[in-house]
Amino acid sequence: MSATVGAVSSTQKDVISLNSHLDEELENKGMDNKVGVVEQDSDYVEPEELEYDKELDLGPQVSLKEQLEKDKDDESLRKWKEQLLGSVDISNVGESKDPEVKIISLTIISPDRPNIILPVPFAIDPKKSLFILKEGSTCRMKFTFTVSNNIVSGLKYTNVVWKTGVRVDSRKKMLGTFSPQEEAYTYELEEETTPCGMFARGSYAARIMFVDDDKKCYMDASYYFEIQKNWATPL
């Protein structure tokens, strides 16, 4: 028993001696026995102090024609550009850096009914409706447009409708990105059902817009239409 006590006593003395030695080293280093305090490098910068708001310089913008003609003798680069740009019609690529989108026609398609083709630009007459829809009928809008000069990125369609000065409908649709080509593009929206009932019938005012990612507007037009109990009688 005395041997065991002696061994424990000896161990405790060793531990006390080791702790005293560590305390002495910490004091010599000026750490003041503060465990976990790490001296930072003078060049250290806190993450929040770093600058992240510098604008990225993408270089000068060039026309699509310049891009296509650049490095045209390099076959690998030429193939890469063809794969990236898709079916670009060279004849519709101009010197301008800005794309040009021309809305050719807007068509309202309804089952078992003749298509309603809207003239572009609209013939604005506050006293005359551009078209008449039957209440509770299903229909969808189709756009036909051309793209020239350059690629148009993020072409969007918006249409806002008012009745007696109150906004009753607002629709927004991302049509996509389109490259220049001679052939016109067509895009059809999802099918919709017109409202029905006594309060739904009457005259409506609307505004339609086509805008791209660069906020360039290709069409901004107001028009009027009606919802009636029956389809308009053909002239």
Side-chain angles (χ1 to χ4, degrees):
M1 181 70 175
S2 59
T4 304
V5 173
V8 172
S9 177
S10 176
T11 303
Q12 288 177 341
K13 289 179 181 179
D14 291 339
V15 171
I16 293 171
S17 176
L18 178 60
N19 288 338
S20 299
H21 181 66
L22 288 174
D23 290 341
E24 184 179 351
E25 282 192 358
L26 291 173
E27 289 177 1
N28 292 337
K29 292 182 179 180
M31 300 294 286
D32 295 331
N33 210 12
K34 294 179 181 178
V35 179
V37 178
V38 180
E39 184 177 356
Q40 292 182 346
D41 191 343
S42 59
D43 295 331
Y44 176 80
V45 180
E46 291 291 341
E48 57 268 24
E49 296 179 13
L50 298 176
E51 295 183 5
Y52 293 105
D53 56 350
K54 292 183 178 179
E55 292 185 3
L56 182 63
D57 184 8
L58 299 178
Q61 185 181 7
V62 298
S63 67
L64 183 58
K65 188 172 184 179
E66 290 179 72
Q67 289 283 7
L68 292 172
E69 291 181 348
K70 189 184 297 183
D71 306 315
K72 61 183 179 181
D73 295 330
D74 189 320
E75 186 177 356
S76 60
L77 276 176
R78 180 179 58 80
K79 288 183 178 180
W80 177 77
K81 289 178 182 178
E82 288 176 357
Q83 190 175 25
L84 180 67
L85 298 174
S87 56
V88 176
D89 189 344
I90 304 299
S91 63
N92 277 275
V93 175
E95 301 290 345
S96 173
K97 300 173 186 177
D98 298 321
E100 187 61 41
V101 177
K102 182 179 180 182
I103 310 300
I104 298 175
S105 66
L106 305 176
T107 305
I108 299 174
I109 303 172
S110 187
D112 304 321
R113 292 288 304 176
N115 291 345
I116 303 174
I117 302 175
L118 308 180
V120 178
F122 297 154
I124 304 300
D125 184 351
K127 297 181 180 180
K128 186 177 181 181
S129 297
L130 195 60
F131 56 88
I132 296 174
L133 299 176
K134 179 186 176 182
E135 63 176 354
S137 62
T138 56
C139 57
R140 66 181 184 274
M141 183 79 80
K142 181 177 76 172
F143 314 123
T144 304
F145 59 94
T146 58
V147 178
S148 58
N149 289 344
N150 211 330
I151 295 174
V152 59
S153 177
L155 185 63
K156 293 181 286 292
Y157 151 84
T158 59
N159 192 61
V160 184
V161 180
W162 294 268
K163 190 175 192 295
T164 61
V166 179
R167 187 170 70 175
V168 295
D169 189 54
S170 179
R171 299 185 183 274
K172 187 180 294 184
K173 180 70 175 181
M174 170 63 73
L175 305 184
T177 297
F178 304 89
S179 59
Q181 66 177 34
E182 185 176 0
E183 184 180 356
Y185 288 98
T186 59
Y187 192 102
E188 291 189 14
L189 297 179
E190 297 83 2
E191 194 171 67
E192 302 176 34
T193 302
T194 60
C196 57
M198 181 177 63
F199 294 105
R201 299 177 207 136
S203 299
Y204 292 79
R207 182 184 181 188
I208 186 172
M209 294 179 68
F210 289 87
V211 182
D212 67 12
D213 275 347
D214 295 324
K215 309 302 180 185
K216 184 177 179 181
C217 183
Y218 301 101
M219 181 177 181
D220 184 356
S222 298
Y223 62 97
Y224 302 88
F225 69 96
E226 292 181 39
I227 293 180
Q228 295 183 357
K229 195 169 185 177
N230 297 296
W231 290 103
T233 305
L235 298 177

